[in-house]
Amino acid sequence: MQTKKLNEFPKDFLWGSSSAAFQIEGAAYEDGKGLSVMDVRKIKPEICDYSVASDHYHRYKEDIALMKECGLKAYRFSIAWTRIFPNGNGEVNPKGVAFYNDLIDELVKNGITPIVTIYHFEYPQGLIDQYGGWIDRRSIEDYVNYASFLFKTYGDRVKYWLTINEQDHVVHMPFRLGLTDENRREKEKLGFLANHNMCVATALAIEKCHELVEGGKIGPATCFETMYPTTNDPLDSLACMDAMEIRNYYLLDLTIKGEYNGTFRRYLEDRDMMPEIHPGDMEAMKANKPDFLAFNYYYSESISAFPLDDEHEIGDIEFKLLPSREAGIYQVVRNENLKATLWGWEIDEVGLQLAARLLWERYRLPLLITECGFGNKEVWPEEGILEDDDRIDYLTRHIRAVKEAMNVGVDFIGFCSWSFIDLISGHSGFSKRYGFVFVNRDEHDLKDMARRKKKSFYWYQKTIAENGENI
Ligand code: BGP
């Protein structure tokens, strides 16, 4: 809706940026860190592994000084589970504990609010070796112990906690569960079993956070892909609603309402994928509601119906990174109204406003954007600075969408861009850059790792200084 007036951002709005340990830290084999599923993942030869990343482990003071210069109010980062517990459970690694103590102290000293993700994709390989990881109930206790250790150790300074990053993506990407990528259709059943265990684990961790961290707030960091019916054929609308239930809402309904929604339950039962529910599981989820809902938003999806026919039966599913079509339900198609990034992610700030409004209406929890950003191939020019106008444009539009959602009553805590400095992409190595700060390295040539401010650095600095009035 176009309105006469647009409200300003509140004074305490958390302007921030995000990262994940395995994508930024490097030092993958240093100071007693154990291996995670990301470290053992087979990487295509044309892209880099995670061993050095942006070398933040050794340069965090320099990076935090840049955050301070930019004016960041918050920095969202993850703790590498295997720096704390190299095997996932058992012995604590004091050097890993010290690293995050120092990092958090440095942030606090510089007036930057730490927002900590407890677990961002890098599941301990040790737990996979011991019992298979999330697909085993023992994973619940190990996650809760690890989270409780973090609350006790850092909870005096960290008041914002995120349980699991993009649990919905972990569920659908076998390698993130420590499983092989073969036969993904069969892996879906294990994915939903893992999902159930993660939901129980995070519910218990929420309880612990409230018990152990004075004034602590905790929520999930989910990924939300807004979906549109491709045409006004009513079947496309139905497909879109079904896809929203089984791809987006299923997880939040479990985490926030403590229930398997009707569509998702039927979906699982039809495919013999319903996990066993143990006594107390649903009660734990119901009793421990998050304090806020954080979500990552990059793109929207256009949805068409995909009816069963002679060649397709229930259970037929195809994947790109995530499921892309399921017989009898939906298929994702190209949205001709939208431009896309080099990786085909359709750029759609309206989708962000819709996501915010849908989530607010359904869950009535304050929202926090934990990731939103523009990935691009970038080369530092011979003269002047890198003028990343596409990134500025993307972020301006998306921050404006947050403002517009707030204008109609949605409660927002803050906005964290992905990312502050360039770091390794989840799937595309170092060639897909997201930062306001360029890191001088290539895919395989580490060069000098120098940090250089892009044009967007100055734009974000101004945006924060003016509290978004320029948007
Ligand atoms: C999210 C992940 C991040 C990050 C981001 C960008 O799904 O939480 O870790 O990687 O996507 O994705 P990519 O790096 O694949 O461009």
Side-chain angles (χ1 to χ4, degrees):
M1 169 167 70
Q2 291 173 303
T3 58
K4 279 189 182 168
K5 188 174 158 266
L6 206 53
N7 294 341
E8 296 308 325
F9 286 101
K11 289 278 165 280
D12 56 355
F13 191 73
L14 290 176
W15 296 100
S17 285
S18 280
S19 70
F22 73 99
Q23 292 171 282
I24 193 169
E25 285 178 4
Y29 313 108
E30 265 178 59
D31 288 345
K33 179 180 164 293
L35 294 180
S36 80
V37 295
M38 301 311 295
D39 298 313
V40 302
R41 185 186 174 196
K42 259 210 152 71
I43 308 264
K44 293 188 214 134
E46 61 273 22
I47 62 171
C48 60
D49 62 24
Y50 300 101
S51 56
V52 181
S54 309
D55 199 28
H56 179 69
Y57 188 78
H58 299 114
R59 296 171 195 240
Y60 69 93
K61 286 198 176 162
E62 181 186 352
D63 294 337
I64 292 173
L66 284 163
M67 291 177 200
K68 163 98 173 157
E69 185 185 338
C70 190
L72 251 58
K73 307 277 188 225
Y75 175 47
R76 179 245 178 172
F77 62 96
S78 72
I79 290 184
W81 188 332
T82 58
R83 270 197 209 289
I84 307 291
F85 291 102
N87 275 321
N89 54 12
E91 290 286 302
V92 173
N93 172 31
K95 285 191 176 165
V97 176
F99 170 70
Y100 294 109
N101 261 323
D102 293 346
L103 178 72
I104 292 165
D105 284 346
E106 192 70 14
L107 288 168
V108 173
K109 196 169 94 192
N110 284 285
I112 301 169
T113 301
I115 302 176
V116 171
T117 316
I118 295 169
Y119 150 58
H120 190 131
F121 297 157
E122 38 192 328
Y123 196 73
Q125 184 60 34
L127 300 184
I128 305 285
D129 298 341
Q130 287 171 53
Y131 52 71
W134 281 120
I135 57 174
D136 187 286
R137 291 282 292 189
R138 281 171 280 184
S139 60
I140 298 173
E141 197 186 338
D142 284 331
Y143 174 85
V144 178
N145 282 340
Y146 160 59
S148 302
F149 181 85
L150 300 188
F151 299 146
K152 283 188 223 152
T153 311
Y154 306 118
D156 55 336
R157 288 150 291 159
V158 177
K159 301 300 173 188
Y160 286 100
W161 294 89
L162 300 162
T163 51
I164 296 185
N165 180 69
E166 294 187 351
Q167 183 174 319
D168 42 328
H169 284 203
V170 179
V171 167
H172 292 295
M173 294 186 197
F175 77 90
R176 293 202 161 132
L177 289 167
L179 303 168
T180 65
D181 273 329
E182 284 130 39
N183 205 348
R184 285 185 68 178
R185 178 174 164 169
E186 299 301 314
K187 299 284 167 47
E188 287 285 284
K189 183 169 181 170
L190 293 176
F192 288 118
L193 171 59
N195 182 62
H196 184 81
N197 292 338
M198 285 188 246
C199 287
V200 178
T202 51
L204 298 176
I206 290 172
E207 187 176 21
K208 287 284 180 200
C209 180
H210 290 151
E211 215 175 277
L212 298 169
V213 182
E214 211 190 315
K217 290 186 190 315
I218 183 162
T222 191
C223 193
F224 195 90
E225 282 103 27
T226 305
M227 295 172 175
Y228 303 107
T230 303
T231 71
N232 60 5
D233 178 343
L235 288 177
D236 281 354
S237 285
L238 192 60
C240 183
M241 187 169 185
D242 285 338
M244 288 282 271
E245 295 289 340
I246 60 167
R247 287 269 313 277
N248 284 322
Y249 293 131
Y250 78 97
L251 176 56
L252 293 169
D253 285 353
L254 281 165
T255 312
I256 299 169
K257 298 180 173 178
E259 66 187 36
Y260 277 85
N261 73 48
T263 315
F264 184 49
R265 182 178 279 275
R266 167 55 52 206
Y267 170 81
L268 293 176
E269 285 171 354
D270 268 4
R271 289 158 182 77
D272 187 29
M273 296 198 296
M274 187 71 197
E276 186 187 345
I277 298 176
H278 290 236
D281 286 359
M282 302 315 293
E283 290 74 9
M285 288 182 221
K286 258 199 190 1
N288 297 295
K289 208 176 155 169
D291 303 292
F292 60 87
L293 194 177
F295 69 105
N296 303 342
Y297 178 87
Y298 289 90
Y299 56 82
S300 59
E301 287 184 339
S302 183
I303 301 292
S304 296
F306 182 26
L308 299 175
D309 57 24
D310 291 346
E311 280 155 41
H312 297 99
E313 56 179 25
I314 289 197
D316 282 356
I317 178 168
E318 287 170 29
F319 300 88
K320 289 201 173 138
L321 272 176
L322 292 165
S324 56
R325 60 181 204 162
E326 286 220 48
I329 317 178
Y330 75 101
Q331 55 187 320
V332 179
V333 300
R334 169 94 181 90
N335 187 337
E336 300 301 337
N337 298 296
L338 300 173
K339 289 191 186 144
T341 68
L342 293 175
W343 287 266
W345 293 13
E346 291 172 355
I347 301 170
D348 178 21
E349 67 279 5
V350 175
L352 175 55
Q353 189 191 155
L354 285 167
R357 290 171 63 173
L358 289 167
L359 291 170
W360 174 248
E361 289 310 326
R362 190 153 172 150
Y363 303 110
R364 275 288 189 271
L365 284 176
L367 303 179
L368 170 67
I369 303 277
T370 32
E371 289 180 30
C372 182
F374 181 76
N376 209 0
K377 291 194 175 168
E378 291 170 332
V379 177
W380 194 264
E382 290 197 357
E383 276 176 35
I385 63 166
L386 198 150
E387 306 215 349
D388 51 343
D389 292 301
D390 286 348
R391 175 165 301 111
I392 295 173
D393 182 55
Y394 179 99
L395 286 169
T396 303
R397 288 162 183 271
H398 286 75
I399 293 173
R400 170 107 186 166
V402 169
K403 208 174 185 178
E404 285 171 350
M406 291 174 87
N407 200 43
V408 293
V410 178
D411 185 2
F412 258 105
I413 301 171
F415 178 94
C416 293
S417 73
W418 183 268
S419 56
F420 183 71
I421 65 171
D422 288 340
L423 37 72
I424 302 187
S425 147
H427 305 276
S428 313
F430 222 90
S431 309
K432 190 180 189 186
R433 293 171 186 264
Y434 280 93
F436 300 131
V437 175
F438 186 89
V439 173
N440 190 35
R441 66 160 285 185
D442 282 346
E443 213 60 71
H444 295 296
D445 181 356
L446 295 177
K447 299 189 179 169
D448 60 5
M449 292 279 196
R451 277 54 174 154
R452 296 173 185 162
K453 290 170 249 175
K454 305 181 194 174
K455 187 174 172 185
S456 58
F457 178 94
Y458 300 101
W459 165 83
Y460 203 45
Q461 188 181 49
K462 180 174 153 68
T463 301
I464 299 173
E466 295 180 6
N467 203 31
E469 264 180 50
N470 56 328
I471 299 290

